């Protein structure tokens, strides 16, 4: 059995100083005033009115003009603003729906785990077969928000698929991801342009 080490006198003095300066959690802390010599100059705090929030009563509806909550808004904008990695002429034809996908994966009705496994397997097989353009159908997502205090993500697969396509093992295989033309599913589907096999 080992003996506990005793505190040295300097350690005991330090501990007593810390204990002396500590206040119990229940009490409000006293505001200490610092002299200009040892404190940096801070801006005046904002007036009380600017910190107050409007009164909210339990059971009342939250104010706002958008009843739909979207945890990750703007997925279409983020994909549209991504740099074009493929040939520009081919990309314009792709955006106009002039190129036909060589294979299609429909993820409707799958859970996140099922969809992720299906996507990885599908993309690896498509790339292995030398396919260049595939279509991944996610659907736009259901409006499941019940109006509760916690936002519910709409289109979980629509938000996750582009991220999965950027991460290993799929990231090195994918050259471009873009929203599909309306004839191939529009906002509920993605064109995935694959790199050539080496």
């Amino acid at each position: 059995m080992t003996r506990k080490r005793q505190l040295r006198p300097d350690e005991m003095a330090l501990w007593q100083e810390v204990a002396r300066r500590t206040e119990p959690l229940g009490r409000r802390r006293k505001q200490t005033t610092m002299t200009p010599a040892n404190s940096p100059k801070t801006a005046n705090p904002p007036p009380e009115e600017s910190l107050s929030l409007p009164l909210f009563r339990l059971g009342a509806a939250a104010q706002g003009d958008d009843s739909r909550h979207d945890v990750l808004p703007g997925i279409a904008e983020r994909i549209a603003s991504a740099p074009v990695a493929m040939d520009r002429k081919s990309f314009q034809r792709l955006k106009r729906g002039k190129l036909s996908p060589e294979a299609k994966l429909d993820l409707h009705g799958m859970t996140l785990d099922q969809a992720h496994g299906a996507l990885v397997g599908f993309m690896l097989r498509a790339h292995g077969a030398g396919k260049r353009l595939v279509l991944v159908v996610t659907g736009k997502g259901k409006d499941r928000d019940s109006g509760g205090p916690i936002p519910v993500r709409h289109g979980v697969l629509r938000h996750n698929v582009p991220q999965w396509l950027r991460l290993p093992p799929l990231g090195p295989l994918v050259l471009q991801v873009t929203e599909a033309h309306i004839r191939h599913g529009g906002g509920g589907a993605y064109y995935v342009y694959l790199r050539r096999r080496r």
Side-chain angles (χ1 to χ4, degrees):
M1 189 174 192
T2 60
R3 281 181 55 201
K4 290 185 180 178
R5 183 177 76 81
Q6 297 294 319
L7 292 176
R8 295 189 315 254
D10 61 328
E11 292 173 330
M12 183 57 86
L14 178 62
W15 172 249
Q16 287 173 346
E17 181 64 22
V18 169
R20 186 180 66 78
R21 292 183 181 191
T22 305
E23 293 181 27
L25 286 176
R27 282 192 222 153
R28 290 185 78 184
R29 293 184 177 178
K30 297 175 188 174
Q31 290 197 350
T32 58
T33 56
M34 297 181 86
T35 62
N38 63 4
S39 70
K41 227 172 185 175
T42 58
N44 292 335
E48 278 296 315
E49 303 86 47
S50 66
L51 297 176
S52 65
L53 296 173
L55 182 63
F56 181 81
R57 296 185 191 283
L58 189 61
Q63 298 299 315
D65 53 352
D66 187 11
S67 60
R68 287 178 50 115
H69 299 294
D70 207 344
V71 178
L72 289 174
I75 190 77
E77 291 82 8
R78 281 187 297 197
I79 289 174
S81 66
V84 177
M86 60 187 284
D87 174 55
R88 287 231 176 241
K89 191 173 182 180
S90 298
F91 182 71
Q92 290 305 322
R93 291 185 65 220
L94 179 68
K95 291 293 284 178
R96 289 192 211 112
K98 302 286 186 190
L99 297 179
S100 296
E102 301 169 73
K104 175 182 171 183
L105 173 66
D106 193 341
L107 300 175
H108 274 104
M110 293 188 189
T111 65
L112 280 174
D113 288 339
Q114 292 168 336
H116 187 255
L119 180 70
V120 170
F122 171 76
M123 298 303 288
L124 292 174
R125 286 189 302 275
H127 185 261
K131 296 186 182 345
R132 296 298 307 278
L133 179 62
V134 296
L135 182 71
V136 178
V137 180
T138 61
K140 293 183 181 178
K142 295 181 181 175
D143 189 358
R144 300 180 286 130
D145 197 351
S146 60
I150 299 173
V152 176
R153 180 181 291 170
H154 299 283
V156 176
L157 292 177
R158 183 172 58 96
H159 286 286
N160 281 294
V161 164
Q163 294 173 23
W164 292 340
L165 291 169
R166 274 183 263 161
L167 298 173
L170 303 180
L173 310 179
V174 175
L175 187 63
Q176 190 79 47
V177 177
T178 187
E179 194 173 280
H181 188 271
I182 192 69
R183 76 173 68 171
H184 293 129
Y190 294 108
Y191 293 129
V192 183
Y193 200 77
L194 298 170
R195 296 181 188 277
R196 291 188 192 278
R197 285 181 62 190
R198 293 182 182 173

